[in-house]
Amino acid sequence: MLTSDGLMKVRTDQTPLDVADKVAAACAGLAALGIGMSREFGNSDTIRQVMVEFDGGFLFVRGAGDGSRLAVITESVIDPALIAQQMQAQVLMIGERTLGTERITG
């Protein structure tokens, strides 16, 4: 997880801190490029997802609510559609836990 301005919020235990910081900064830049493209060629200034395919894998970045983004790096043998679907499910779960409020009665 990262903030929209590129600060790392959460990382896996397998990802070194310096690598996670680099990924967060790069993902913020990619998202900014995507937003620029959406403004120019789309219907809004929002993006659903940025995907980069490189020799050996993929990078996925999607909004995770409240100015956060979820980034996932995979190997090349995955199904990109399945990863995107699972990321959306994870974002919905994160949103329900962190952005939800208890109902107040009275």
Side-chain angles (χ1 to χ4, degrees), residues 21-103:
D21 284 336
K22 289 177 193 175
V23 169
C27 289
L30 289 170
L33 287 171
I35 290 168
M37 297 301 293
S38 182
R39 285 181 184 147
E40 183 70 27
F41 300 106
N43 297 324
S44 70
D45 63 350
T46 60
I47 57 170
R48 290 189 192 101
Q49 175 176 284
V50 175
M51 183 183 85
V52 176
E53 181 178 6
F54 50 87
D55 190 20
F58 295 90
L59 166 66
F60 298 86
V61 183
R62 77 174 303 118
D66 197 30
S68 296
R69 301 198 190 286
L70 177 63
V72 174
I73 298 174
T74 70
E75 296 179 345
S76 61
V77 295
I78 56 89
D79 176 359
L82 180 60
I83 297 298
Q85 179 185 24
Q86 291 300 310
M87 287 178 71
Q88 177 62 22
Q90 189 67 34
V91 165
L92 292 173
M93 273 190 353
I94 291 168
E96 289 174 5
R97 279 191 237 142
T98 60
L99 302 177
T101 58
E102 294 182 25
R103 183 177 176 178

